[in-house]
């Protein structure tokens, strides 16, 4: 089982980049497939799925995780695409949860299959979860996800509450201008009524339809102002972790917690401790990276762990200094959209 205590299992020099940022966090995409088609992420149709032999097997994911943990990675988040559509996900969770030195094993999901999977995932050793939910109103949910599935997601969340070993339950809502404003108070009230930490995340230029532009970003500060006007003042909650992506607040009366992930208006690149692995085994050292390292080819060529480790170290050393979203022409979109990276 996951050991939350900080017993040291790092057997090698730690993974570090040229700016001195230690890498402690890996997001592993386990599939490019998804049962939703969120407008800020995927196209309505036309994406070709990877074939089975193109994506990493569970054994390859386990091997990579072990190697990364031996170099200081402490947190693994499984994502996609939609990770719950990959067959036997609880088996993968069980295997990874046994890796000594891993302090946190989490999942990011759209929640559609949670009613069925919450129990098996908890039993397999999952410790944290982020459920993506951008609207609490049925037709608006449909408008964003292109699926009429709000009810299933809410039922999935209810089911999760039965398993306190998965904690906290975080809800992530992508905030888009001229859409999300009308949802803000509803989400704030949800965070007060339920044991969910609700976080708003700013819309980033990673949508397959390439509709992003700055005018469509509803910033965390704008949302906070709406909450304070319509619901109640918020009080900052200090974070002990400098790499924490979200700025946290409590409601002034102490009931409920909200978070704001503001990568566009307040970039947090200088404290970034994350790397990403795509479903087909490409190591990406930034969401917006233009360079990738093919770890699948290395593993399938029969390379030793030492060779694999060296390839990871070299890639991490060149981790991007920052994203360039706020730097005008210097910003170039990456060829992948969010579902093909693993958010
Ligand atoms: N399918 C799962 C889900 O939706 O939670 C996991 C994969 S999804 C790509 C991971 C996260 O990325 C979700 O919280 C989603 O809302 C977020 N996301 C996708 N596209 C985004 C964008 N263009 N800007 C900001 N967040 C985005
Ligand atoms: Fe699927 Fe998640 Fe992308 Fe929505 S955000 S289309 S649920 S991968």
């Amino acid at each position: 089982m996951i050991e939350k205590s900080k017993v040291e299992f790092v057997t090698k020099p730690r993974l570090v980049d040229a700016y001195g940022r230690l890498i402690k966090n890996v997001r592993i995409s386990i599939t490019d497939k998804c049962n939703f088609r969120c407008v800020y992420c995927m196209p309505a149709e036309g994406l070709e799925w990877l074939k089975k032999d193109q994506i990493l097997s569970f054994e390859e994911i386990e091997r990579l995780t072990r190697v990364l943990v031996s170099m200081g990675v402490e947190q693994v988040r499984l994502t996609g695409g939609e990770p719950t559509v990959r067959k036997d996900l609880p088996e993968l969770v069980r295997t990874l949860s046994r890796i000594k030195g891993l302090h946190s094993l989490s999942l990011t999901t759209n929640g559609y299959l949670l009613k069925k999977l919450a129990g098996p995932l908890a039993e397999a050793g999952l410790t944290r979860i982020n459920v993506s939910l951008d609207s609490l109103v049925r037709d608006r949910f449909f408008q964003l996800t292109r699926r009429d599935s709000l009810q299933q997601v809410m039922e999935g969340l209810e089911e999760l509450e039965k398993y306190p070993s998965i904690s906290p339950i975080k809800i992530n809502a992508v905030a888009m201008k001229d859409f999300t404003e009308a949802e803000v108070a509803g989400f704030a009230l949800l965070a007060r009524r339920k044991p969910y930490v609700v976080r708003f995340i700013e819309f980033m230029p990673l949508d397959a339809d390439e509709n992003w532009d700055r005018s469509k970003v509803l910033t965390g500060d704008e949302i906070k102002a709406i909450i304070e006007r319509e619901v109640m003042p918020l009080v900052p909650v200090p974070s002990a972790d400098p790499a924490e992506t979200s700025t946290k607040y409590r409601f002034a009366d102490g009931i409920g917690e909200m978070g704001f992930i503001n990568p566009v208006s307040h970039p947090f690149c200088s404290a970034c401790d994350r790397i990403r692995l795509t479903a087909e085994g490409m190591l990406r050292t930034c969401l917006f990276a233009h360079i990738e390292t093919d770890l699948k080819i290395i593993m399938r060529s029969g390379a030793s762990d030492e060779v694999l480790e060296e390839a990871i170290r070299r890639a991490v050393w060149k981790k991007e200094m920052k994203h360039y979203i706020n730097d005008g022409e210097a910003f170039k979109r990456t060829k992948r959209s969010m579902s093909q990276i693993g958010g």
Side-chain angles (χ1 to χ4, degrees):
M1 289 301 274
I2 292 286
E3 315 208 12
K4 288 189 178 173
S5 67
K6 297 267 171 176
V7 183
E8 280 292 338
F9 285 97
V10 185
T11 52
K12 318 263 174 58
R14 285 178 178 268
L15 254 188
V16 65
D17 75 2
Y19 303 98
R21 293 173 296 189
L22 289 179
I23 302 303
K24 296 189 183 163
N25 198 313
V26 61
R27 305 218 169 150
I28 304 178
S29 170
I30 62 169
T31 178
D32 57 323
K33 292 186 184 144
C34 187
N35 42 8
F36 286 10
R37 292 290 180 280
C38 304
V39 293
Y40 50 73
C41 179
M42 279 181 129
E45 51 196 49
L47 262 194
E48 254 185 55
W49 306 129
L50 295 165
K51 296 188 184 63
K52 192 167 177 225
D53 67 339
Q54 289 177 289
I55 65 172
L56 294 184
S57 65
F58 283 180
E59 290 72 25
E60 288 166 329
I61 293 172
E62 181 193 358
R63 178 179 174 195
L64 269 172
T65 306
R66 280 189 194 284
V67 168
L68 287 166
V69 168
S70 76
M71 293 191 278
V73 164
E74 297 172 350
Q75 301 173 11
V76 168
R77 169 172 298 283
L78 300 177
T79 180
E82 175 47 42
T84 59
V85 303
R86 180 132 180 205
K87 197 166 164 276
D88 299 328
L89 172 63
E91 279 318 303
L92 177 64
V93 167
R94 190 183 313 283
T95 306
L96 298 184
S97 73
R98 290 186 180 134
I99 296 180
K100 293 245 182 294
L102 192 59
H103 299 312
S104 165
L105 179 58
S106 56
L107 182 76
T108 299
T109 172
N110 62 28
Y112 181 78
L113 292 171
L114 272 184
K115 192 170 178 188
K116 185 175 82 183
L117 282 175
L121 286 171
E123 193 268 326
L126 191 75
T127 54
R128 288 165 186 262
I129 198 156
N130 287 357
V131 180
S132 303
L133 173 61
D134 313 302
S135 172
L136 299 171
V137 181
R138 184 175 169 187
D139 58 336
R140 290 166 56 86
F141 181 98
F142 177 79
Q143 212 180 316
L144 275 192
T145 61
R146 303 179 174 118
R147 295 291 183 270
D148 183 16
S149 303
L150 176 61
Q151 167 107 13
Q152 284 87 338
V153 177
M154 296 313 285
E155 286 173 8
L157 281 166
E158 289 278 333
E159 181 69 18
L160 260 185
E161 287 179 46
K162 298 181 189 160
Y163 303 95
S165 61
I166 304 182
S167 157
I169 299 172
K170 291 185 183 167
I171 293 186
N172 284 349
V174 175
M176 299 169 84
K177 194 76 144 219
D178 298 329
F179 184 91
T180 307
E181 293 87 336
E183 301 277 347
V184 170
F187 273 114
L189 295 175
L190 183 73
R192 289 170 60 69
R193 199 174 69 240
K194 286 288 200 176
Y196 309 150
V197 178
V198 176
R199 296 139 24 117
F200 287 99
I201 173 160
E202 290 173 351
F203 180 30
M204 292 182 278
L206 291 164
D207 53 321
D209 293 337
E210 303 204 4
N211 279 326
W212 184 93
D213 78 53
R214 191 164 300 278
S215 69
K216 295 181 179 137
V217 179
L218 180 67
T219 67
D221 289 349
E222 289 171 311
I223 300 171
K224 181 166 170 279
I226 298 174
I227 297 176
E228 298 205 306
R229 194 171 61 240
E230 296 183 6
V231 184
M232 188 182 298
L234 292 167
V235 180
V237 177
S239 169
D241 179 4
E244 171 72 58
T245 54
S246 123
T247 315
K248 294 187 218 158
Y249 292 87
R250 283 215 147 268
F251 288 93
D253 65 358
I255 302 170
E257 190 176 314
M258 303 285 303
F260 300 93
I261 304 172
N262 302 336
V264 181
S265 67
H266 294 95
F268 33 77
C269 307
S270 62
C272 181
D273 68 350
R274 286 172 294 288
I275 55 175
R276 291 180 152 82
L277 203 58
T278 70
E280 71 267 54
M282 305 299 267
L283 176 66
R284 293 176 63 89
T285 48
C286 174
L287 255 182
F288 297 92
H290 294 282
I291 299 170
E292 302 179 334
T293 303
D294 190 340
L295 299 182
K296 181 180 68 189
I297 280 205
I298 297 175
M299 286 192 287
R300 291 189 186 173
S301 69
S304 64
D305 282 356
E306 288 67 32
V307 170
L308 189 58
E309 188 188 313
E310 188 52 29
I312 297 170
R313 281 194 194 285
R314 279 172 193 268
V316 163
W317 184 254
K318 295 190 186 145
K319 179 172 163 67
E320 294 71 3
M321 181 177 71
K322 61 174 193 164
H323 68 57
Y324 289 86
I325 302 176
N326 300 317
D327 295 82
E329 306 250 301
F331 177 71
K332 300 268 177 298
R333 289 185 64 115
T334 154
K335 64 181 191 310
R336 289 178 186 267
S337 54
M338 192 62 132
S339 71
Q340 299 166 315
I341 299 172

